[in-house]
Amino acid sequence: MAPTTSIAGIKRPVAAEDKEWAAEQLTKLGRFTGMRWILSAEPAEVLPIKTDEAVVSSPGFAAAQDKLSYFVAQMKLSNEEQQGIEKATVGQSKDPLWQEWDAWSE
């Protein structure tokens, strides 16, 4: 349940400037924070992400005798894909696209 305006942090709608200020303050911490990531801009470039859901729902997975081997093979990245991710995400923790990929690597 959302708080009423009488106990909210501010008694007006949150403006873009408020979000920018909060993001700037979190950036000054010099480390990754979940809230900073939420406030960050969407990536300008979108790379195709191999997801476990896409692999296990594919016809190839259903037909595979050895599902684990199939899954591992499908999730591997080629050298070209790795280089593309590296090139597209220079700046790492300050780059929203890198953060998106980093979340999948855990």
Side-chain angles (χ1 to χ4, degrees), residues 14-85:
V14 175
E17 294 80 20
D18 299 320
K19 293 177 185 179
E20 291 169 9
W21 176 86
E24 182 182 320
Q25 297 306 307
L26 292 167
T27 300
K28 289 179 182 179
L29 294 175
R31 63 180 186 271
F32 177 82
T33 64
M35 184 55 71
R36 173 65 183 105
W37 179 74
I38 290 170
L39 292 172
S40 66
E42 290 294 321
E45 180 180 356
V46 177
L47 299 175
I49 297 175
K50 295 179 180 182
T51 65
D52 54 350
E53 183 179 346
V55 173
V56 299
S57 63
S58 70
F61 182 81
Q65 294 267 337
D66 183 351
K67 297 197 183 318
L68 178 60
S69 294
Y70 179 86
F71 180 82
V72 170
Q74 294 301 307
M75 293 301 290
K76 285 186 179 177
L77 296 173
S78 69
N79 287 338
E80 293 79 23
E81 289 171 314
Q82 291 176 23
Q83 291 170 359
I85 293 167

Side-chain angles (χ1 to χ4, degrees), residues 1-9:
M1 182 185 318
T4 65
T5 55
S6 63
I7 60 171

